[in-house]
Amino acid sequence: MSSAYATLGRRVERRGTVPPAEVAALAENDAERREWALTLPLIKELLAADTVLIGVPMYNFSIPAALKAWIDRLTFPGAYVDPDTGSSLLRDTRVVVVTARGGGYGPGTPREAYDFQTPYLRTYFDELGVAERNLCFTHAEMTRSGDVPALAGFQEMAVHSLAAARTAMTDLATSAHRR
């Protein structure tokens, strides 16, 4: 993203809630038009989705740069707000986050406090207006136990964690059909 993205975003934000269909008219130059042309399809895709599935490894206790770049591109002032009611256009969208973690960061583990991935994504989607009941996390942990000698003693835990993640995903997929 270039400074043109930020400039266009600030201009839109100063006007209050501007529907995405009206943002192009506010672009003042080719750079801003180019940034909006890259952004609008992602916004439309997210708005059209009933369910968003995000598969994400934990890198250095957080999310990978590629996911962060997607989030930065997708986050545009007013894009997910109903201009008539002020309510979130994503309140009924289900977001399923499936993580793979080399170590153990779940509740009660010594490294629980090192999980910046889950709180970050929870906060991000909450700010976009996704209802808490529609935000689901499933974690497969100890995935590096097969190739990191210091984690070799956790291979059974890794197998159980992956099986639990698969079961959770199957349950979510099955419940999606009943929604």
Side-chain angles (χ1 to χ4, degrees):
M1 293 180 348
S2 73
S3 61
Y5 177 90
T7 300
L8 178 60
R10 284 191 304 273
R11 186 176 310 114
V12 167
E13 196 168 32
R14 282 187 208 108
R15 294 177 182 262
T17 302
V18 177
E22 297 175 19
V23 171
L26 298 175
E28 293 181 350
N29 56 52
D30 287 343
E32 290 179 6
R33 284 186 277 281
R34 186 173 38 258
E35 291 292 344
W36 186 241
L38 292 170
T39 303
L40 183 58
L42 296 175
I43 290 171
K44 286 181 175 181
E45 184 177 42
L46 183 57
L47 287 170
D50 291 325
T51 299
V52 176
L53 176 62
I54 299 173
V56 57
M58 179 185 277
Y59 287 171
N60 299 315
F61 312 113
S62 190
I63 64 171
L67 179 56
K68 180 65 168 91
W70 178 77
I71 285 171
D72 289 344
R73 173 66 66 183
L74 196 62
T75 307
F76 198 83
Y80 308 101
V81 177
D82 183 318
D84 296 326
T85 67
S87 63
S88 172
L89 296 171
L90 297 176
R91 66 187 171 280
D92 296 324
T93 303
R94 178 189 261 185
V95 176
V96 177
V97 179
V98 182
T99 71
R101 301 163 165 199
Y105 301 90
T109 64
R111 290 189 152 212
E112 177 181 5
Y114 294 6
D115 173 12
F116 301 105
Q117 183 185 52
T118 303
Y120 174 81
L121 292 171
R122 185 174 303 285
T123 300
Y124 175 71
F125 286 108
D126 178 67
E127 281 295 303
L128 283 188
V130 174
E132 177 64 30
R133 71 181 183 286
N134 291 330
L135 186 55
C136 309
F137 285 86
T138 299
H139 307 289
E141 297 200 326
M142 303 307 292
T143 61
R144 300 285 319 274
S145 64
D147 66 321
V148 174
L151 299 177
F154 299 102
Q155 289 181 1
E156 187 174 330
M157 184 184 293
V159 168
H160 290 295
S161 179
L162 183 58
R166 284 185 175 139
T167 298
M169 294 309 326
T170 299
D171 291 347
L172 283 170
T174 303
S175 70
H177 291 295
R178 289 180 269 171
R179 268 181 110 190

PDB file of all heavy atoms in Angstrom, residues 43-77:
ATOM      1  N   ILE A  43     -13.000  -5.799  -0.291  1.00  0.00           N
ATOM      2  CA  ILE A  43     -14.124  -5.382   0.553  1.00  0.00           C
ATOM      3  C   ILE A  43     -15.407  -6.061   0.089  1.00  0.00           C
ATOM      4  O   ILE A  43     -16.165  -6.615   0.894  1.00  0.00           O
ATOM      5  CB  ILE A  43     -14.271  -3.843   0.547  1.00  0.00           C
ATOM      6  CG1 ILE A  43     -13.098  -3.208   1.296  1.00  0.00           C
ATOM      7  CG2 ILE A  43     -15.609  -3.417   1.151  1.00  0.00           C
ATOM      8  CD1 ILE A  43     -13.018  -1.706   1.172  1.00  0.00           C
ATOM      9  N   LYS A  44     -15.647  -6.060  -1.215  1.00  0.00           N
ATOM     10  CA  LYS A  44     -16.854  -6.713  -1.753  1.00  0.00           C
ATOM     11  C   LYS A  44     -16.869  -8.199  -1.435  1.00  0.00           C
ATOM     12  O   LYS A  44     -17.916  -8.763  -1.092  1.00  0.00           O
ATOM     13  CB  LYS A  44     -16.928  -6.507  -3.267  1.00  0.00           C
ATOM     14  CG  LYS A  44     -17.330  -5.118  -3.678  1.00  0.00           C
ATOM     15  CD  LYS A  44     -17.398  -5.033  -5.200  1.00  0.00           C
ATOM     16  CE  LYS A  44     -17.920  -3.702  -5.670  1.00  0.00           C
ATOM     17  NZ  LYS A  44     -17.992  -3.639  -7.149  1.00  0.00           N
ATOM     18  N   GLU A  45     -15.710  -8.831  -1.560  1.00  0.00           N
ATOM     19  CA  GLU A  45     -15.613 -10.263  -1.268  1.00  0.00           C
ATOM     20  C   GLU A  45     -15.965 -10.544   0.193  1.00  0.00           C
ATOM     21  O   GLU A  45     -16.720 -11.470   0.494  1.00  0.00           O
ATOM     22  CB  GLU A  45     -14.208 -10.749  -1.597  1.00  0.00           C
ATOM     23  CG  GLU A  45     -14.016 -12.238  -1.427  1.00  0.00           C
ATOM     24  CD  GLU A  45     -12.628 -12.678  -1.828  1.00  0.00           C
ATOM     25  OE1 GLU A  45     -11.638 -11.981  -1.489  1.00  0.00           O
ATOM     26  OE2 GLU A  45     -12.526 -13.727  -2.471  1.00  0.00           O
ATOM     27  N   LEU A  46     -15.430  -9.742   1.103  1.00  0.00           N
ATOM     28  CA  LEU A  46     -15.724  -9.939   2.519  1.00  0.00           C
ATOM     29  C   LEU A  46     -17.201  -9.667   2.811  1.00  0.00           C
ATOM     30  O   LEU A  46     -17.851 -10.433   3.530  1.00  0.00           O
ATOM     31  CB  LEU A  46     -14.838  -9.046   3.393  1.00  0.00           C
ATOM     32  CG  LEU A  46     -14.997  -9.213   4.898  1.00  0.00           C
ATOM     33  CD1 LEU A  46     -14.744 -10.653   5.336  1.00  0.00           C
ATOM     34  CD2 LEU A  46     -14.078  -8.265   5.635  1.00  0.00           C
ATOM     35  N   LEU A  47     -17.750  -8.610   2.247  1.00  0.00           N
ATOM     36  CA  LEU A  47     -19.160  -8.291   2.477  1.00  0.00           C
ATOM     37  C   LEU A  47     -20.099  -9.368   1.919  1.00  0.00           C
ATOM     38  O   LEU A  47     -21.180  -9.590   2.469  1.00  0.00           O
ATOM     39  CB  LEU A  47     -19.502  -6.931   1.866  1.00  0.00           C
ATOM     40  CG  LEU A  47     -18.945  -5.713   2.602  1.00  0.00           C
ATOM     41  CD1 LEU A  47     -19.139  -4.454   1.774  1.00  0.00           C
ATOM     42  CD2 LEU A  47     -19.584  -5.573   3.973  1.00  0.00           C
ATOM     43  N   ALA A  48     -19.695 -10.033   0.860  1.00  0.00           N
ATOM     44  CA  ALA A  48     -20.537 -11.058   0.232  1.00  0.00           C
ATOM     45  C   ALA A  48     -20.464 -12.404   0.948  1.00  0.00           C
ATOM     46  O   ALA A  48     -21.328 -13.264   0.747  1.00  0.00           O
ATOM     47  CB  ALA A  48     -20.137 -11.231  -1.232  1.00  0.00           C
ATOM     48  N   ALA A  49     -19.467 -12.596   1.780  1.00  0.00           N
ATOM     49  CA  ALA A  49     -19.246 -13.899   2.407  1.00  0.00           C
ATOM     50  C   ALA A  49     -20.195 -14.152   3.573  1.00  0.00           C
ATOM     51  O   ALA A  49     -20.428 -13.266   4.391  1.00  0.00           O
ATOM     52  CB  ALA A  49     -17.806 -13.986   2.903  1.00  0.00           C
ATOM     53  N   ASP A  50     -20.721 -15.360   3.629  1.00  0.00           N
ATOM     54  CA  ASP A  50     -21.462 -15.802   4.807  1.00  0.00           C
ATOM     55  C   ASP A  50     -20.489 -16.266   5.879  1.00  0.00           C
ATOM     56  O   ASP A  50     -20.695 -16.049   7.064  1.00  0.00           O
ATOM     57  CB  ASP A  50     -22.402 -16.960   4.462  1.00  0.00           C
ATOM     58  CG  ASP A  50     -23.548 -16.533   3.571  1.00  0.00           C
ATOM     59  OD1 ASP A  50     -24.028 -15.398   3.721  1.00  0.00           O
ATOM     60  OD2 ASP A  50     -23.950 -17.334   2.713  1.00  0.00           O
ATOM     61  N   THR A  51     -19.425 -16.959   5.417  1.00  0.00           N
ATOM     62  CA  THR A  51     -18.382 -17.458   6.303  1.00  0.00           C
ATOM     63  C   THR A  51     -17.033 -17.126   5.700  1.00  0.00           C
ATOM     64  O   THR A  51     -16.820 -17.285   4.503  1.00  0.00           O
ATOM     65  CB  THR A  51     -18.492 -18.990   6.488  1.00  0.00           C
ATOM     66  OG1 THR A  51     -19.759 -19.300   7.069  1.00  0.00           O
ATOM     67  CG2 THR A  51     -17.393 -19.524   7.385  1.00  0.00           C
ATOM     68  N   VAL A  52     -16.119 -16.673   6.547  1.00  0.00           N
ATOM     69  CA  VAL A  52     -14.740 -16.401   6.151  1.00  0.00           C
ATOM     70  C   VAL A  52     -13.877 -17.409   6.904  1.00  0.00           C
ATOM     71  O   VAL A  52     -13.942 -17.488   8.131  1.00  0.00           O
ATOM     72  CB  VAL A  52     -14.317 -14.962   6.522  1.00  0.00           C
ATOM     73  CG1 VAL A  52     -12.857 -14.725   6.191  1.00  0.00           C
ATOM     74  CG2 VAL A  52     -15.213 -13.955   5.822  1.00  0.00           C
ATOM     75  N   LEU A  53     -13.099 -18.179   6.164  1.00  0.00           N
ATOM     76  CA  LEU A  53     -12.203 -19.159   6.758  1.00  0.00           C
ATOM     77  C   LEU A  53     -10.777 -18.656   6.612  1.00  0.00           C
ATOM     78  O   LEU A  53     -10.323 -18.392   5.496  1.00  0.00           O
ATOM     79  CB  LEU A  53     -12.357 -20.519   6.073  1.00  0.00           C
ATOM     80  CG  LEU A  53     -11.412 -21.627   6.528  1.00  0.00           C
ATOM     81  CD1 LEU A  53     -11.610 -21.946   8.006  1.00  0.00           C
ATOM     82  CD2 LEU A  53     -11.608 -22.862   5.670  1.00  0.00           C
ATOM     83  N   ILE A  54     -10.094 -18.523   7.731  1.00  0.00           N
ATOM     84  CA  ILE A  54      -8.713 -18.035   7.729  1.00  0.00           C
ATOM     85  C   ILE A  54      -7.834 -19.119   8.339  1.00  0.00           C
ATOM     86  O   ILE A  54      -7.983 -19.463   9.510  1.00  0.00           O
ATOM     87  CB  ILE A  54      -8.585 -16.719   8.527  1.00  0.00           C
ATOM     88  CG1 ILE A  54      -9.455 -15.643   7.889  1.00  0.00           C
ATOM     89  CG2 ILE A  54      -7.129 -16.287   8.612  1.00  0.00           C
ATOM     90  CD1 ILE A  54      -9.537 -14.373   8.680  1.00  0.00           C
ATOM     91  N   GLY A  55      -6.933 -19.641   7.530  1.00  0.00           N
ATOM     92  CA  GLY A  55      -5.940 -20.595   8.014  1.00  0.00           C
ATOM     93  C   GLY A  55      -4.653 -19.824   8.247  1.00  0.00           C
ATOM     94  O   GLY A  55      -4.160 -19.174   7.329  1.00  0.00           O
ATOM     95  N   VAL A  56      -4.125 -19.887   9.458  1.00  0.00           N
ATOM     96  CA  VAL A  56      -2.992 -19.021   9.779  1.00  0.00           C
ATOM     97  C   VAL A  56      -2.007 -19.700  10.731  1.00  0.00           C
ATOM     98  O   VAL A  56      -2.395 -20.148  11.803  1.00  0.00           O
ATOM     99  CB  VAL A  56      -3.497 -17.674  10.359  1.00  0.00           C
ATOM    100  CG1 VAL A  56      -4.366 -17.869  11.567  1.00  0.00           C
ATOM    101  CG2 VAL A  56      -2.359 -16.753  10.670  1.00  0.00           C
ATOM    102  N   PRO A  57      -0.751 -19.781  10.320  1.00  0.00           N
ATOM    103  CA  PRO A  57       0.259 -20.254  11.255  1.00  0.00           C
ATOM    104  C   PRO A  57       0.623 -19.139  12.230  1.00  0.00           C
ATOM    105  O   PRO A  57       0.408 -17.966  11.938  1.00  0.00           O
ATOM    106  CB  PRO A  57       1.450 -20.580  10.352  1.00  0.00           C
ATOM    107  CG  PRO A  57       1.285 -19.673   9.179  1.00  0.00           C
ATOM    108  CD  PRO A  57      -0.201 -19.495   8.993  1.00  0.00           C
ATOM    109  N   MET A  58       1.152 -19.530  13.370  1.00  0.00           N
ATOM    110  CA  MET A  58       1.669 -18.529  14.297  1.00  0.00           C
ATOM    111  C   MET A  58       3.140 -18.317  13.957  1.00  0.00           C
ATOM    112  O   MET A  58       3.918 -19.269  13.943  1.00  0.00           O
ATOM    113  CB  MET A  58       1.547 -18.979  15.751  1.00  0.00           C
ATOM    114  CG  MET A  58       2.114 -17.938  16.720  1.00  0.00           C
ATOM    115  SD  MET A  58       2.134 -18.488  18.433  1.00  0.00           S
ATOM    116  CE  MET A  58       0.462 -18.133  18.920  1.00  0.00           C
ATOM    117  N   TYR A  59       3.480 -17.087  13.637  1.00  0.00           N
ATOM    118  CA  TYR A  59       4.871 -16.712  13.379  1.00  0.00           C
ATOM    119  C   TYR A  59       5.296 -15.728  14.444  1.00  0.00           C
ATOM    120  O   TYR A  59       4.682 -14.662  14.576  1.00  0.00           O
ATOM    121  CB  TYR A  59       5.018 -16.034  12.014  1.00  0.00           C
ATOM    122  CG  TYR A  59       4.904 -16.926  10.805  1.00  0.00           C
ATOM    123  CD1 TYR A  59       4.840 -16.374   9.539  1.00  0.00           C
ATOM    124  CD2 TYR A  59       4.864 -18.307  10.907  1.00  0.00           C
ATOM    125  CE1 TYR A  59       4.743 -17.170   8.412  1.00  0.00           C
ATOM    126  CE2 TYR A  59       4.752 -19.106   9.782  1.00  0.00           C
ATOM    127  CZ  TYR A  59       4.695 -18.536   8.545  1.00  0.00           C
ATOM    128  OH  TYR A  59       4.590 -19.320   7.431  1.00  0.00           O
ATOM    129  N   ASN A  60       6.311 -16.067  15.196  1.00  0.00           N
ATOM    130  CA  ASN A  60       6.852 -15.170  16.210  1.00  0.00           C
ATOM    131  C   ASN A  60       5.754 -14.620  17.121  1.00  0.00           C
ATOM    132  O   ASN A  60       5.666 -13.428  17.373  1.00  0.00           O
ATOM    133  CB  ASN A  60       7.645 -14.036  15.551  1.00  0.00           C
ATOM    134  CG  ASN A  60       8.809 -14.582  14.762  1.00  0.00           C
ATOM    135  OD1 ASN A  60       9.516 -15.453  15.241  1.00  0.00           O
ATOM    136  ND2 ASN A  60       8.973 -14.110  13.545  1.00  0.00           N
ATOM    137  N   PHE A  61       4.883 -15.514  17.564  1.00  0.00           N
ATOM    138  CA  PHE A  61       3.814 -15.244  18.524  1.00  0.00           C
ATOM    139  C   PHE A  61       2.630 -14.469  17.946  1.00  0.00           C
ATOM    140  O   PHE A  61       1.734 -14.072  18.664  1.00  0.00           O
ATOM    141  CB  PHE A  61       4.345 -14.508  19.771  1.00  0.00           C
ATOM    142  CG  PHE A  61       5.571 -15.141  20.338  1.00  0.00           C
ATOM    143  CD1 PHE A  61       6.778 -14.486  20.307  1.00  0.00           C
ATOM    144  CD2 PHE A  61       5.518 -16.410  20.899  1.00  0.00           C
ATOM    145  CE1 PHE A  61       7.926 -15.071  20.826  1.00  0.00           C
ATOM    146  CE2 PHE A  61       6.650 -17.018  21.416  1.00  0.00           C
ATOM    147  CZ  PHE A  61       7.861 -16.338  21.372  1.00  0.00           C
ATOM    148  N   SER A  62       2.608 -14.228  16.641  1.00  0.00           N
ATOM    149  CA  SER A  62       1.537 -13.439  16.043  1.00  0.00           C
ATOM    150  C   SER A  62       1.190 -13.978  14.659  1.00  0.00           C
ATOM    151  O   SER A  62       1.389 -15.157  14.383  1.00  0.00           O
ATOM    152  CB  SER A  62       1.974 -11.965  15.968  1.00  0.00           C
ATOM    153  OG  SER A  62       0.877 -11.151  15.610  1.00  0.00           O
ATOM    154  N   ILE A  63       0.686 -13.113  13.811  1.00  0.00           N
ATOM    155  CA  ILE A  63       0.239 -13.514  12.477  1.00  0.00           C
ATOM    156  C   ILE A  63       1.334 -13.243  11.440  1.00  0.00           C
ATOM    157  O   ILE A  63       2.173 -12.373  11.633  1.00  0.00           O
ATOM    158  CB  ILE A  63      -1.065 -12.790  12.081  1.00  0.00           C
ATOM    159  CG1 ILE A  63      -0.855 -11.282  11.971  1.00  0.00           C
ATOM    160  CG2 ILE A  63      -2.179 -13.126  13.064  1.00  0.00           C
ATOM    161  CD1 ILE A  63      -2.035 -10.530  11.388  1.00  0.00           C
ATOM    162  N   PRO A  64       1.315 -13.961  10.330  1.00  0.00           N
ATOM    163  CA  PRO A  64       2.289 -13.717   9.261  1.00  0.00           C
ATOM    164  C   PRO A  64       2.066 -12.368   8.581  1.00  0.00           C
ATOM    165  O   PRO A  64       0.953 -11.827   8.578  1.00  0.00           O
ATOM    166  CB  PRO A  64       2.038 -14.856   8.267  1.00  0.00           C
ATOM    167  CG  PRO A  64       1.157 -15.825   8.945  1.00  0.00           C
ATOM    168  CD  PRO A  64       0.456 -15.105  10.052  1.00  0.00           C
ATOM    169  N   ALA A  65       3.116 -11.858   7.989  1.00  0.00           N
ATOM    170  CA  ALA A  65       3.058 -10.565   7.297  1.00  0.00           C
ATOM    171  C   ALA A  65       2.023 -10.565   6.175  1.00  0.00           C
ATOM    172  O   ALA A  65       1.368  -9.548   5.931  1.00  0.00           O
ATOM    173  CB  ALA A  65       4.438 -10.201   6.748  1.00  0.00           C
ATOM    174  N   ALA A  66       1.847 -11.688   5.493  1.00  0.00           N
ATOM    175  CA  ALA A  66       0.873 -11.741   4.393  1.00  0.00           C
ATOM    176  C   ALA A  66      -0.554 -11.511   4.907  1.00  0.00           C
ATOM    177  O   ALA A  66      -1.343 -10.809   4.269  1.00  0.00           O
ATOM    178  CB  ALA A  66       0.968 -13.074   3.659  1.00  0.00           C
ATOM    179  N   LEU A  67      -0.883 -12.096   6.049  1.00  0.00           N
ATOM    180  CA  LEU A  67      -2.209 -11.868   6.624  1.00  0.00           C
ATOM    181  C   LEU A  67      -2.348 -10.425   7.091  1.00  0.00           C
ATOM    182  O   LEU A  67      -3.391  -9.794   6.889  1.00  0.00           O
ATOM    183  CB  LEU A  67      -2.485 -12.836   7.776  1.00  0.00           C
ATOM    184  CG  LEU A  67      -3.831 -12.678   8.476  1.00  0.00           C
ATOM    185  CD1 LEU A  67      -5.001 -12.781   7.500  1.00  0.00           C
ATOM    186  CD2 LEU A  67      -3.968 -13.709   9.589  1.00  0.00           C
ATOM    187  N   LYS A  68      -1.305  -9.895   7.684  1.00  0.00           N
ATOM    188  CA  LYS A  68      -1.332  -8.492   8.120  1.00  0.00           C
ATOM    189  C   LYS A  68      -1.534  -7.566   6.925  1.00  0.00           C
ATOM    190  O   LYS A  68      -2.292  -6.588   6.994  1.00  0.00           O
ATOM    191  CB  LYS A  68      -0.043  -8.142   8.874  1.00  0.00           C
ATOM    192  CG  LYS A  68       0.021  -6.702   9.362  1.00  0.00           C
ATOM    193  CD  LYS A  68      -1.022  -6.386  10.408  1.00  0.00           C
ATOM    194  CE  LYS A  68      -0.776  -5.076  11.102  1.00  0.00           C
ATOM    195  NZ  LYS A  68      -1.415  -3.930  10.483  1.00  0.00           N
ATOM    196  N   ALA A  69      -0.889  -7.864   5.798  1.00  0.00           N
ATOM    197  CA  ALA A  69      -1.056  -7.046   4.594  1.00  0.00           C
ATOM    198  C   ALA A  69      -2.500  -7.110   4.092  1.00  0.00           C
ATOM    199  O   ALA A  69      -3.073  -6.092   3.678  1.00  0.00           O
ATOM    200  CB  ALA A  69      -0.088  -7.501   3.503  1.00  0.00           C
ATOM    201  N   TRP A  70      -3.115  -8.288   4.147  1.00  0.00           N
ATOM    202  CA  TRP A  70      -4.514  -8.440   3.748  1.00  0.00           C
ATOM    203  C   TRP A  70      -5.404  -7.603   4.669  1.00  0.00           C
ATOM    204  O   TRP A  70      -6.286  -6.880   4.209  1.00  0.00           O
ATOM    205  CB  TRP A  70      -4.911  -9.914   3.795  1.00  0.00           C
ATOM    206  CG  TRP A  70      -6.325 -10.221   3.449  1.00  0.00           C
ATOM    207  CD1 TRP A  70      -6.885 -10.267   2.200  1.00  0.00           C
ATOM    208  CD2 TRP A  70      -7.386 -10.551   4.365  1.00  0.00           C
ATOM    209  NE1 TRP A  70      -8.221 -10.607   2.299  1.00  0.00           N
ATOM    210  CE2 TRP A  70      -8.547 -10.791   3.606  1.00  0.00           C
ATOM    211  CE3 TRP A  70      -7.443 -10.676   5.757  1.00  0.00           C
ATOM    212  CZ2 TRP A  70      -9.762 -11.144   4.192  1.00  0.00           C
ATOM    213  CZ3 TRP A  70      -8.659 -11.026   6.334  1.00  0.00           C
ATOM    214  CH2 TRP A  70      -9.795 -11.252   5.557  1.00  0.00           C
ATOM    215  N   ILE A  71      -5.150  -7.690   5.978  1.00  0.00           N
ATOM    216  CA  ILE A  71      -5.922  -6.921   6.948  1.00  0.00           C
ATOM    217  C   ILE A  71      -5.766  -5.425   6.689  1.00  0.00           C
ATOM    218  O   ILE A  71      -6.747  -4.679   6.688  1.00  0.00           O
ATOM    219  CB  ILE A  71      -5.487  -7.292   8.391  1.00  0.00           C
ATOM    220  CG1 ILE A  71      -6.062  -8.660   8.759  1.00  0.00           C
ATOM    221  CG2 ILE A  71      -5.889  -6.229   9.393  1.00  0.00           C
ATOM    222  CD1 ILE A  71      -5.533  -9.239  10.059  1.00  0.00           C
ATOM    223  N   ASP A  72      -4.550  -4.986   6.454  1.00  0.00           N
ATOM    224  CA  ASP A  72      -4.319  -3.562   6.215  1.00  0.00           C
ATOM    225  C   ASP A  72      -5.032  -3.090   4.950  1.00  0.00           C
ATOM    226  O   ASP A  72      -5.600  -1.997   4.920  1.00  0.00           O
ATOM    227  CB  ASP A  72      -2.817  -3.273   6.106  1.00  0.00           C
ATOM    228  CG  ASP A  72      -2.106  -3.390   7.440  1.00  0.00           C
ATOM    229  OD1 ASP A  72      -2.786  -3.386   8.484  1.00  0.00           O
ATOM    230  OD2 ASP A  72      -0.869  -3.485   7.433  1.00  0.00           O
ATOM    231  N   ARG A  73      -5.027  -3.887   3.918  1.00  0.00           N
ATOM    232  CA  ARG A  73      -5.695  -3.516   2.660  1.00  0.00           C
ATOM    233  C   ARG A  73      -7.206  -3.489   2.851  1.00  0.00           C
ATOM    234  O   ARG A  73      -7.907  -2.621   2.360  1.00  0.00           O
ATOM    235  CB  ARG A  73      -5.286  -4.507   1.564  1.00  0.00           C
ATOM    236  CG  ARG A  73      -6.022  -4.356   0.253  1.00  0.00           C
ATOM    237  CD  ARG A  73      -5.743  -3.081  -0.470  1.00  0.00           C
ATOM    238  NE  ARG A  73      -4.349  -3.017  -0.917  1.00  0.00           N
ATOM    239  CZ  ARG A  73      -3.835  -1.970  -1.531  1.00  0.00           C
ATOM    240  NH1 ARG A  73      -4.583  -0.906  -1.771  1.00  0.00           N
ATOM    241  NH2 ARG A  73      -2.581  -1.955  -1.893  1.00  0.00           N
ATOM    242  N   LEU A  74      -7.712  -4.443   3.574  1.00  0.00           N
ATOM    243  CA  LEU A  74      -9.151  -4.611   3.756  1.00  0.00           C
ATOM    244  C   LEU A  74      -9.778  -3.573   4.670  1.00  0.00           C
ATOM    245  O   LEU A  74     -10.966  -3.273   4.575  1.00  0.00           O
ATOM    246  CB  LEU A  74      -9.352  -6.004   4.357  1.00  0.00           C
ATOM    247  CG  LEU A  74     -10.688  -6.652   4.345  1.00  0.00           C
ATOM    248  CD1 LEU A  74     -11.153  -6.868   2.923  1.00  0.00           C
ATOM    249  CD2 LEU A  74     -10.589  -7.988   5.055  1.00  0.00           C
ATOM    250  N   THR A  75      -8.981  -3.032   5.575  1.00  0.00           N
ATOM    251  CA  THR A  75      -9.502  -2.115   6.583  1.00  0.00           C
ATOM    252  C   THR A  75      -9.574  -0.716   5.996  1.00  0.00           C
ATOM    253  O   THR A  75      -8.566  -0.030   5.858  1.00  0.00           O
ATOM    254  CB  THR A  75      -8.584  -2.130   7.820  1.00  0.00           C
ATOM    255  OG1 THR A  75      -8.421  -3.478   8.236  1.00  0.00           O
ATOM    256  CG2 THR A  75      -9.187  -1.320   8.951  1.00  0.00           C
ATOM    257  N   PHE A  76     -10.775  -0.307   5.669  1.00  0.00           N
ATOM    258  CA  PHE A  76     -10.973   1.009   5.062  1.00  0.00           C
ATOM    259  C   PHE A  76     -12.120   1.701   5.779  1.00  0.00           C
ATOM    260  O   PHE A  76     -13.149   1.081   6.050  1.00  0.00           O
ATOM    261  CB  PHE A  76     -11.282   0.867   3.562  1.00  0.00           C
ATOM    262  CG  PHE A  76     -11.073   2.138   2.807  1.00  0.00           C
ATOM    263  CD1 PHE A  76      -9.805   2.498   2.360  1.00  0.00           C
ATOM    264  CD2 PHE A  76     -12.134   3.005   2.562  1.00  0.00           C
ATOM    265  CE1 PHE A  76      -9.598   3.689   1.678  1.00  0.00           C
ATOM    266  CE2 PHE A  76     -11.932   4.192   1.893  1.00  0.00           C
ATOM    267  CZ  PHE A  76     -10.661   4.536   1.444  1.00  0.00           C
ATOM    268  N   PRO A  77     -11.982   2.970   6.093  1.00  0.00           N
ATOM    269  CA  PRO A  77     -13.002   3.680   6.878  1.00  0.00           C
ATOM    270  C   PRO A  77     -14.417   3.541   6.313  1.00  0.00           C
ATOM    271  O   PRO A  77     -14.657   3.813   5.139  1.00  0.00           O
ATOM    272  CB  PRO A  77     -12.542   5.138   6.821  1.00  0.00           C
ATOM    273  CG  PRO A  77     -11.084   5.085   6.536  1.00  0.00           C
ATOM    274  CD  PRO A  77     -10.888   3.858   5.685  1.00  0.00           C
TER     275      PRO A  77
END
